[in-house]
Amino acid sequence: MNILYIHNNEARDKEIFEALQKAGAKVAEIDAPAPGESNEAYAPKVLKAMEQNMTEVCFSLDYYPIVSIACEAMKRIYIAYTQHPYTPAMYSATVENSCNLIFVPDYSVYEKFKSAGAGNVFFMPLSVAAEDIATHVSEADSEEGPDLTITQTVKSRSDIKINLLSGESPLKDASKGYLEGCIACRHQIRGLPSMYHYLPPYIREEIMKLTPPVLDAMSTETAETYFDNRSFNELVTAADRDIHFSGIIRNEHFKTVSVYADGYVAGEEKVSAFCSLKRGPEFAEAVKKSKINLIIPHRNWISGVSGRTWDTMAAGGYVIQPVMSDLTGLFETPLDDLYTDELSMVSKSINRLHHARERVETVNSLLDEIRDKHTHMHRIAGIFEYLE
C-alpha cells in the first residue's frame, strides 16, 4: 500500500509514521499546510506528491479539508486519525466526501457525528508506542518517590483566547454573572449537555451580536460547538485544575508533592515545582516513581481517554482521574480509582496512597492490557480493517 503521510505537530506524529512503516506500507512524506497557508497554495503541493508517489491513501493525525478535496478529486482514500475530541476542521462540508475515513478518539464525540449523519466518522482511541510501555512495576519503584505528582498546567483565564467573562469582554455584567454561575455548576458535574444550547435566548443573542464566531469560509460549525469547545470548556477546565489541584495539595495526607508546570509557584514547603515535562524518558520516570498521579482531562474530552492518561499509564504511573466511560470500556482491569467529584477524588487518592500493593496490582494489570491491545500497531491494524 502506498501511503502519503502528512506530518504535523501532534505529539504522536513520528510514532504513528514509524508504525505505518512497520506495518509494511510504503510511506512517502509531506508536511501539513502551514498556519495561514491558503488552499490555493497547498493544493498543488499535495496533488504533486500524490502523483509522484502513486499514492493510494493519504494519512494524517488531523483533518484537513483541502486534503479531502484532493483525494475526492483523485479518487484516493483519506484517513484522518484525529488526536483530540474537538477538531474544528471536521465541521466542514467536506467531511461527507466519499473518500474519507475519519477516526475520533472519544466515543461520545463519534456518537454526535453519527447522529448528525456522518457515516464515515468512526471511533478509534489513542494509543502508545510499544517500546514506551514499562515492564511490571513493584512497590519499590514508588517507595522513595513523592506522594502526589501533577503534570498538567493550570491555564489562567487571561490565557484563554475566547474568554467571554474577562473584563475586556463586551458582554453585560449581568450576562457575565449568569455565565459564571453556569461555569461553577459545570465544575461540580462532568457529563452535562451543551452549555451554550441551554443558555437563555437573550444571552445567546447578546453573545452572537457582540462576539460572533470567527469561522473559516468552509466551516459548517455552529455557535454551540464553537463556544462550548473554545470558551466554556476552557473556563471549566481552568476551574477544575485550579480548585482540585489546590485542594489535594493542601491535604495533610500528602507529605511530598511534585508539580511539573511552567510558571507554577510553590506556596507550601512540601511542594517541589519543576518546569513542564514533554513526553519522553524524564516524564516516564517522574510519573512512575510517584505514588499518585492526578490527571484532570480537558472538558472537551467527554468520555475519551486523553493522551496524558495513556502516557502516564504506559509509563507505569498510578492514575487518579475522573470517571470516563471509554476508559472503563477499553480495559478489563477493575478501575476503582476513578472519581465523580472533589470529595471522591480526595478520598480515593488518600485510600490508594496508603495501599501500595493494590496500586501495583492495578498498574501491572493495565500494563499487560496496554501491551496486548493498545499500541500504535494495534490502532493501525484496526484502521486498516476499514479498507478491506
Side-chain angles (χ1 to χ4, degrees), residues 235-248:
L235 290 163
V236 179
T237 302
D240 283 348
R241 292 179 180 172
D242 182 30
I243 296 171
H244 286 339
F245 288 170
S246 297
I248 198 167

Side-chain angles (χ1 to χ4, degrees), residues 65-243:
I66 186 58
V67 176
S68 178
I69 292 171
C71 287
E72 189 79 350
M74 298 287 285
K75 300 188 184 313
R76 302 294 188 266
I77 297 170
Y78 178 31
I79 295 175
Y81 178 22
T82 64
Q83 302 289 289
H84 306 280
Y86 172 61
T87 304
M90 283 184 60
Y91 295 91
S92 164
T94 62
V95 166
E96 298 182 5
N97 286 347
S98 61
C99 65
N100 291 339
L101 287 173
I102 304 172
F103 299 90
V104 296
D106 187 304
Y107 193 85
S108 296
V109 173
Y110 151 71
E111 287 186 316
K112 287 186 176 183
F113 276 97
K114 182 181 178 181
S115 65
N120 50 7
V121 176
F122 307 95
F123 170 63
M124 187 65 66
L126 300 183
S127 53
V128 297
E131 57 270 23
D132 291 339
I133 303 173
T135 56
H136 282 184
V137 302
S138 67
E139 293 183 29
D141 288 316
S142 60
E143 186 175 7
E144 301 299 325
D147 292 338
L148 174 71
T149 291
I150 293 170
T151 59
Q152 293 174 301
T153 298
V154 178
K155 180 184 290 187
S156 67
R157 283 192 169 189
S158 62
D159 293 330
I160 297 174
K161 292 182 179 179
I162 305 175
N163 184 356
L164 300 178
L165 307 183
S166 69
E168 293 73 28
S169 169
L171 299 186
K172 298 175 183 177
D173 289 342
S175 297
K176 293 179 184 179
Y178 186 93
L179 294 175
E180 286 281 11
C182 293
I183 296 297
C185 290
R186 298 181 78 80
H187 163 64
Q188 301 298 324
I189 304 172
R190 271 191 176 261
L192 292 175
S194 164
M195 177 170 157
Y196 181 89
H197 181 80
Y198 288 99
L199 291 176
Y202 74 90
I203 292 185
R204 292 205 305 269
E205 291 170 5
E206 184 182 352
I207 290 173
M208 289 299 292
K209 179 181 178 181
L210 299 177
T211 60
V214 179
L215 299 172
D216 182 85
M218 298 178 65
S219 177
T220 60
E221 187 167 13
T222 65
E224 181 176 309
T225 59
Y226 181 90
F227 288 110
D228 280 344
N229 290 290
R230 302 193 196 198
S231 183
F232 299 139
N233 287 349
E234 287 273 8
L235 290 163
V236 179
T237 302
D240 283 348
R241 292 179 180 172
D242 182 30
I243 296 171

Side-chain angles (χ1 to χ4, degrees), residues 132-388:
D132 291 339
I133 303 173
T135 56
H136 282 184
V137 302
S138 67
E139 293 183 29
D141 288 316
S142 60
E143 186 175 7
E144 301 299 325
D147 292 338
L148 174 71
T149 291
I150 293 170
T151 59
Q152 293 174 301
T153 298
V154 178
K155 180 184 290 187
S156 67
R157 283 192 169 189
S158 62
D159 293 330
I160 297 174
K161 292 182 179 179
I162 305 175
N163 184 356
L164 300 178
L165 307 183
S166 69
E168 293 73 28
S169 169
L171 299 186
K172 298 175 183 177
D173 289 342
S175 297
K176 293 179 184 179
Y178 186 93
L179 294 175
E180 286 281 11
C182 293
I183 296 297
C185 290
R186 298 181 78 80
H187 163 64
Q188 301 298 324
I189 304 172
R190 271 191 176 261
L192 292 175
S194 164
M195 177 170 157
Y196 181 89
H197 181 80
Y198 288 99
L199 291 176
Y202 74 90
I203 292 185
R204 292 205 305 269
E205 291 170 5
E206 184 182 352
I207 290 173
M208 289 299 292
K209 179 181 178 181
L210 299 177
T211 60
V214 179
L215 299 172
D216 182 85
M218 298 178 65
S219 177
T220 60
E221 187 167 13
T222 65
E224 181 176 309
T225 59
Y226 181 90
F227 288 110
D228 280 344
N229 290 290
R230 302 193 196 198
S231 183
F232 299 139
N233 287 349
E234 287 273 8
L235 290 163
V236 179
T237 302
D240 283 348
R241 292 179 180 172
D242 182 30
I243 296 171
H244 286 339
F245 288 170
S246 297
I248 198 167
I249 285 172
R250 293 192 182 99
N251 189 282
E252 62 182 10
H253 287 270
F254 297 92
K255 308 300 183 183
T256 53
V257 178
S258 293
V259 179
Y260 294 86
D262 294 334
Y264 181 84
V265 178
E268 299 191 29
E269 187 176 341
K270 66 179 179 180
V271 179
S272 297
F274 308 92
C275 295
S276 61
L277 289 176
K278 293 183 178 180
R279 302 168 67 242
E282 191 177 353
F283 169 86
E285 180 63 23
V287 298
K288 181 179 180 180
K289 71 180 183 182
S290 182
K291 297 177 180 65
I292 302 293
N293 291 279
L294 177 60
I295 295 176
I296 300 178
H298 194 286
R299 283 297 181 112
N300 283 352
W301 290 98
I302 303 173
S303 64
V305 186
S306 71
R308 182 51 51 97
T309 297
W310 279 112
D311 293 337
T312 303
M313 292 192 304
Y318 187 84
V319 174
I320 295 282
Q321 73 154 61
V323 173
M324 307 294 276
S325 59
D326 288 7
L327 189 61
T328 55
L330 289 168
F331 291 98
E332 297 179 7
T333 300
L335 298 174
D336 300 322
D337 45 12
L338 307 179
Y339 67 83
T340 55
D341 54 28
E342 187 168 6
L343 179 60
S344 68
M345 179 269 287
V346 174
S347 63
K348 286 176 181 289
S349 298
I350 294 172
N351 178 275
R352 285 296 180 260
L353 175 66
H354 299 297
H355 289 83
R357 180 174 61 82
E358 288 83 350
R359 292 200 312 269
V360 167
E361 289 175 353
T362 297
V363 168
N364 286 336
S365 181
L366 289 172
L367 285 171
D368 286 341
E369 291 200 56
I370 292 172
R371 192 175 291 106
D372 292 343
K373 303 176 184 177
H374 302 295
T375 67
H376 297 326
M377 295 301 293
H378 289 107
R379 298 293 184 257
I380 294 300
I383 288 172
F384 280 1
E385 289 180 2
Y386 285 83
L387 299 176
E388 298 175 356

